[in-house]
Amino acid sequence: MWLPPRFSIRSAVDVQSYAGIFETVRKSFQDSTDAEVDSGYGDADPDVDVAERHTRVETAKRWLWKRMSELELIHCSLYDEDDLALVVEGLQSTAQLLADLDSYMMESQELPQTKAGSCPSEWLFDCGALRIHEPGASESCQTGNDIEIGNQVWNAGVALARLIDKRVLFQPTPLSTILELGCGTALTAIVAAKCLPDTEIVASDWHPSILATATQNVVENNVAAQVSVCRLDWRNLVDFDWSSVGIVDALMAADVIYDVEHAALIPKVMRHIVDQHAAIRTKMIDIVILNRVRPQFEQAIETFENNMRLQGFVGSWVWADSIADVFGHDARLESRRYRLYRYKLQIETRVE
């Protein structure tokens, strides 16, 4: 059984040591995943158990996820340019290996499904207290795959919810329908429903496990009559029944830009929604995206911004904490790390 190195990152010296330790881990798992490939001549090692390899990969992903969290945290406290460069390099390398290991797991078997039914946590807003299940939040199961990411609450979603809760967003113009992309636990959709009682909220995501968690939270927070949860696959928009979501006046999303693929997909998805399901009258569709800026994903953020321009969207961004207190006692730690994007696209009158 593979055991991860006993190592954590707490200082600039640790960051310097991490490069060598990371390379050892990367090499061991390159060898591990390569070992499963059979050329077709029966030369795959029969003594290497596939389940054991998958267990090793999941263990490594949990270890890498913790190191990436530590690197993000220490990035906020360093000022030396060389040290900062090492942190960014470490973040980028770690994120890439996590993505490679995820790809390996998807090719060899389905990613493990996180089940709904966890103990809920309580979140306090001006609109009331919410009880949110987030089965992906357990530290023992965090490996960074998209299912776990979707099954837990992230600060960007909380920040977006607080901006809605404080009436900074989607006020005072009446809205018919808000469509959320990547709803995750549905925390933001639930707050939107409570703050905008005359607006239908459509909370969309892609994996059955995430949708089950979102549905459970919607039902338990008594907004099922106003919030519908639906599956929307960004890679297959053609099969979605757009007539099922009403007249979309606004799109919202939180923390959906954390790799280059998403940076390319999301602008296309938003343009498709605007084109296929715009309001019948002449209208400006409001698009709100709140995303944390992580050093390892700066290229993805830049790609997203460029692609939004290419799709014809016009907009700008501000730091979320510059317009409202969205982080409370964590304000100092999270300051100037979350961009609030606002985009518009002029919709011409449709003639039926």
Side-chain angles (χ1 to χ4, degrees):
M1 179 179 178
W2 182 84
L3 294 174
R6 295 178 63 86
F7 178 79
S8 59
I9 303 169
R10 304 185 186 283
S11 68
V13 174
D14 295 333
V15 173
Q16 295 170 8
S17 302
Y18 179 64
I21 295 172
F22 169 82
E23 184 58 26
T24 301
V25 173
R26 187 197 65 78
K27 183 66 167 60
S28 68
F29 281 90
Q30 182 181 25
D31 294 343
S32 173
T33 53
D34 288 348
E36 189 173 336
V37 178
D38 191 332
S39 66
Y41 292 95
D43 56 358
D45 186 352
D47 296 327
V48 179
D49 183 73
V50 172
E52 182 184 339
R53 270 197 299 271
H54 290 170
T55 299
R56 290 205 305 263
V57 170
E58 290 298 312
T59 301
K61 287 171 64 183
R62 283 192 289 272
W63 186 85
L64 290 164
W65 189 254
K66 288 181 181 178
R67 301 296 81 77
M68 192 159 70
S69 297
E70 291 167 354
L71 285 167
E72 287 187 5
L73 188 61
I74 201 170
H75 182 267
C76 302
S77 62
L78 295 177
Y79 298 96
D80 182 83
E81 290 187 3
D82 291 337
D83 288 340
L84 286 169
L86 280 175
V87 171
V88 172
E89 183 180 345
L91 283 165
Q92 291 172 340
S93 300
T94 305
Q96 183 59 57
L97 182 54
L98 278 166
D100 291 344
L101 291 175
D102 249 2
S103 297
Y104 161 75
M105 293 295 286
M106 291 184 72
E107 290 170 4
S108 57
Q109 69 171 25
E110 276 196 27
L111 286 167
Q113 295 192 19
T114 307
K115 296 180 180 180
S118 61
C119 293
S121 53
E122 187 171 273
W123 296 84
L124 299 177
F125 294 88
D126 292 345
C127 65
L130 308 186
R131 290 172 60 81
I132 301 294
H133 294 268
E134 43 177 336
S138 170
E139 191 170 307
S140 63
C141 72
Q142 286 183 2
T143 63
N145 72 53
D146 283 345
I147 301 169
E148 290 163 3
I149 288 171
N151 264 309
Q152 59 187 295
V153 173
W154 294 90
N155 273 359
V158 177
L160 181 56
R162 294 208 184 282
L163 291 175
I164 297 171
D165 188 46
K166 294 177 182 297
R167 307 310 197 260
V168 174
L169 298 175
F170 306 128
Q171 298 283 345
T173 306
L175 298 172
S176 173
T177 302
I178 298 175
L179 172 59
E180 181 178 14
L181 301 178
C183 69
T185 64
L187 178 143
T188 306
I190 293 167
V191 170
K194 290 181 176 292
C195 293
L196 304 165
D198 297 324
T199 302
E200 178 186 355
I201 313 297
V202 180
S204 70
D205 220 300
W206 71 282
H207 195 275
S209 172
I210 301 173
L211 296 173
T213 300
T215 300
Q216 181 181 19
N217 287 329
V218 164
V219 170
E220 292 191 13
N221 285 279
N222 302 312
V223 291
Q226 194 181 344
V227 179
S228 57
V229 178
C230 68
R231 184 177 187 274
L232 178 58
D233 185 348
W234 298 348
R235 299 174 183 83
N236 183 20
L237 298 172
V238 177
D239 293 340
F240 187 78
D241 181 12
W242 295 105
S243 65
S244 66
V245 298
I247 297 176
V248 176
D249 293 318
L251 300 172
M252 68 178 181
D255 232 354
V256 291
I257 310 157
Y258 51 86
D259 64 32
V260 174
E261 182 185 14
H262 287 178
L265 273 174
I266 292 167
K268 292 179 181 178
V269 170
M270 290 187 166
R271 184 60 199 249
H272 183 90
I273 294 170
V274 169
D275 289 344
Q276 296 297 320
H277 203 262
I280 295 174
R281 59 193 179 280
T282 299
K283 187 172 181 64
M284 296 285 283
I285 288 186
D286 194 13
I287 297 175
V288 175
I289 303 170
L290 200 150
N291 213 85
R292 180 176 176 180
V293 179
R294 299 173 173 87
Q296 66 271 38
F297 300 132
E298 286 181 354
Q299 181 184 352
I301 292 287
E302 183 179 345
T303 300
F304 161 76
E305 292 173 351
N306 289 337
N307 286 335
M308 287 296 282
R309 285 192 289 270
L310 290 174
Q311 291 296 330
F313 293 105
V314 178
S316 59
W317 64 266
V318 296
W319 296 116
D321 55 299
S322 70
I323 55 176
D325 178 15
V326 292
F327 298 118
H329 66 276
D330 290 328
R332 184 187 62 80
L333 181 63
E334 299 287 24
S335 177
R336 303 180 75 83
R337 297 178 73 182
Y338 293 81
R339 289 184 182 179
L340 175 67
Y341 291 91
R342 303 290 299 271
Y343 286 100
K344 296 280 190 180
L345 182 69
Q346 182 71 46
I347 305 304
E348 296 180 357
T349 303
R350 288 192 168 193
V351 179
E352 298 297 320

